[in-house]
């Protein structure tokens, strides 16, 4: 572990190439003075955990607005009562109904990659967490791209992939979003095309931008024979998911985790969380820019 001083805050790096914690800021009182440092740390470390926060939903929402326009999730049934831009993730029930989405994505994905303009930041704020389980895993896709052989980088240059929200080879999967969407929500999530390698608009770093996930399914590489497309995608997924590019976060109450979807992918583990291990987390996504 190394420590990197960023003006007033200290970001302590935990992963090999990414992921840092900050334990010396109180967002409820210091957001104005700390904002520039938080933003710089987010770009430098890609995933940040701001420890021991105690925020109202409004304060959480205010932080989200610093990163961009807050974009409510397509599945509206789990929106926060007061702030529709906040989605509730929870395995609790209230009055016989789920309090939030039980599993927001136990598969490798990048948020809103199925939209023409995907998310830049995702922020999760932990209200209650179990003693064990419910970890969130991350992959540094810029590091994964850098580690590719030059000939693979050349092969990927200029390729585009088709993404589709509800695409999954397993339509019967219990968390498949296909089942949760109304006709209108399906209409609002058509196929979109993004470069297979995107360049970060703020840092200039290149990252792989295809995902094996269930909800953010990549259908195919444009203009490629289907078997060749499947082989290339499988090779990329195998490369990216190597342990050397990963970091696994164990949650504490008050953790405010935020990450850059433009150069990372993440994976919940709530699909295997026992029903009596309660976990309630608030989530915000903000709109980024079209990948290029
Ligand atoms: C998500 O994929 O946005 C949620 C991650 C988690 O619940 O651990």
């Amino acid at each position: 572990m190394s420590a990197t001083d960023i003006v007033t805050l200290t970001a302590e790096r935990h992963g090999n190439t990414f992921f840092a914690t900050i334990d010396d800021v109180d967002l409820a009182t210091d957001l104005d003075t700390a904002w520039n440092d938080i933003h710089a740390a987010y770009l430098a470390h890609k995933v940040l955990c701001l420890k021991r926060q105690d925020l109202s939903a409004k304060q959480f929402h205010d932080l989200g607005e610093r990163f961009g326009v807050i974009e409510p999730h397509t599945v509206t049934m789990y929106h926060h009562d007061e702030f529709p831009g906040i989605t509730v993730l929870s395995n609790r029930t209230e009055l016989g109904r789920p309090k939030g989405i039980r599993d927001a994505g136990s598969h490798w994905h990048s948020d809103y990659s199925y939209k023409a303009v995907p998310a830049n930041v995702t922020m999760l704020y932990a209200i209650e967490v179990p003693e064990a389980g419910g970890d969130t895993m991350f992959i540094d896709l810029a590091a994964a791209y850098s580690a590719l052989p030059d000939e693979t980088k050349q092969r990927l240059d200029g390729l585009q992939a088709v993404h589709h929200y509800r695409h999954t080879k397993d339509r019967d999967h219990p968390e498949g979003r296909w089942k949760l969407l109304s006709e209108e929500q399906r209409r609002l999530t058509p196929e979109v095309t993004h470069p297979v390698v995107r360049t970060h608009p703020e840092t200039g770093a290149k990252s792989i931008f295809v995902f094996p996930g269930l909800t953010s399914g990549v259908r195919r590489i444009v203009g490629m024979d289907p078997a060749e497309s499947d082989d290339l995608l499988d090779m990329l997924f195998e490369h990216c998911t190597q342990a050397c590019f990963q970091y696994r976060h164990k949650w504490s109450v008050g953790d405010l985790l935020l990450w850059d979807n433009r150069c990372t992918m993440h994976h919940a583990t709530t699909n295997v969380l026992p029903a009596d291990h309660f976990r309630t987390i608030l989530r915000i996504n903000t709109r980024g820019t079209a990948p290029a």
Side-chain angles (χ1 to χ4, degrees):
M1 283 196 304
S2 69
T4 313
D5 284 325
I6 300 172
V7 197
T8 55
L9 304 184
T10 306
E12 190 172 10
R13 173 66 73 75
H14 295 271
N16 290 337
T17 59
F18 75 138
F19 197 104
T21 51
I22 293 179
D23 203 3
D24 54 359
V25 68
D26 178 355
L27 292 171
T29 53
D30 303 341
L31 180 55
D32 284 340
T33 48
W35 166 247
N36 287 342
D37 297 350
I38 291 170
H39 190 255
Y42 151 76
L43 292 180
H45 300 285
K46 305 183 183 101
V47 189
L48 274 189
C49 180
L50 301 156
K51 303 295 291 179
R52 294 182 297 124
Q53 302 302 314
D54 184 8
L55 301 177
S56 64
K58 174 161 182 354
Q59 287 167 329
F60 181 52
H61 198 265
D62 288 347
L63 175 63
E65 284 180 328
R66 301 272 177 152
F67 285 94
V69 175
I70 293 180
E71 198 164 3
H73 195 266
T74 305
V75 178
T76 55
M77 70 176 99
Y78 302 118
H79 287 178
H80 188 275
D81 290 343
E82 214 181 328
F83 296 96
I86 298 179
T87 298
V88 181
L89 316 183
S90 184
N91 55 351
R92 280 198 181 272
T93 45
E94 264 178 4
L95 303 172
R97 298 172 57 190
K99 179 175 172 171
I101 188 160
R102 191 186 65 80
D103 181 6
S106 292
H107 48 82
W108 290 114
H109 65 285
S110 169
D111 287 338
Y112 295 176
S113 63
Y114 54 85
K115 296 191 179 208
V117 180
N120 52 5
V121 81
T122 298
M123 302 186 350
L124 297 187
Y125 175 46
I127 308 290
E128 64 172 340
V129 297
E131 253 175 46
D135 302 350
T136 308
M137 302 188 293
F138 293 91
I139 282 184
D140 182 343
L141 289 171
Y145 176 78
S146 293
L148 285 171
D150 284 346
E151 60 271 24
T152 309
K153 289 181 180 163
Q154 280 155 21
R155 187 172 173 213
L156 300 181
D157 196 24
L159 291 182
Q160 302 270 327
V162 176
H163 301 236
H164 199 196
Y165 183 47
R166 50 191 181 268
H167 175 65
T168 167
K169 289 187 175 138
D170 179 6
R171 278 287 172 83
D172 291 325
H173 192 289
E175 296 299 333
R177 297 300 187 263
W178 180 259
K179 294 178 204 255
L180 296 178
L181 294 185
S182 65
E183 276 310 314
E184 175 62 1
Q185 288 165 347
R186 289 177 192 187
R187 195 185 60 75
L188 291 171
T189 49
E191 290 186 352
V192 297
T193 299
H194 295 309
V196 171
V197 174
R198 74 179 289 185
T199 303
H200 196 291
E202 294 182 82
T203 66
K206 288 186 171 190
S207 294
I208 294 168
F209 199 68
V210 283
F211 314 100
L214 182 71
T215 59
S216 50
V218 174
R219 274 183 182 268
R220 61 181 176 279
I221 295 183
V222 175
M224 201 175 267
D225 165 78
E228 192 190 349
S229 168
D230 282 353
D231 285 352
L232 181 55
L233 289 170
D234 286 348
M235 181 278 284
L236 287 175
F237 298 154
E238 200 174 319
H239 169 75
C240 292
T241 51
Q242 293 175 83
C244 58
F245 304 126
Q246 291 194 28
Y247 185 80
R248 184 177 184 116
H249 179 64
K250 292 191 184 309
W251 286 91
S252 301
V253 169
D255 281 357
L256 194 151
L257 200 64
L258 59 92
W259 64 85
D260 192 338
N261 286 289
R262 301 168 292 188
C263 49
T264 62
M265 63 180 171
H266 58 283
H267 189 309
T269 57
T270 36
N271 60 332
V272 291
L273 185 64
D276 59 350
H277 287 39
F278 294 112
R279 182 183 193 262
T280 301
I281 287 185
L282 303 183
R283 183 175 74 189
I284 285 178
N285 291 101
T286 62
R287 189 178 161 88
T289 51

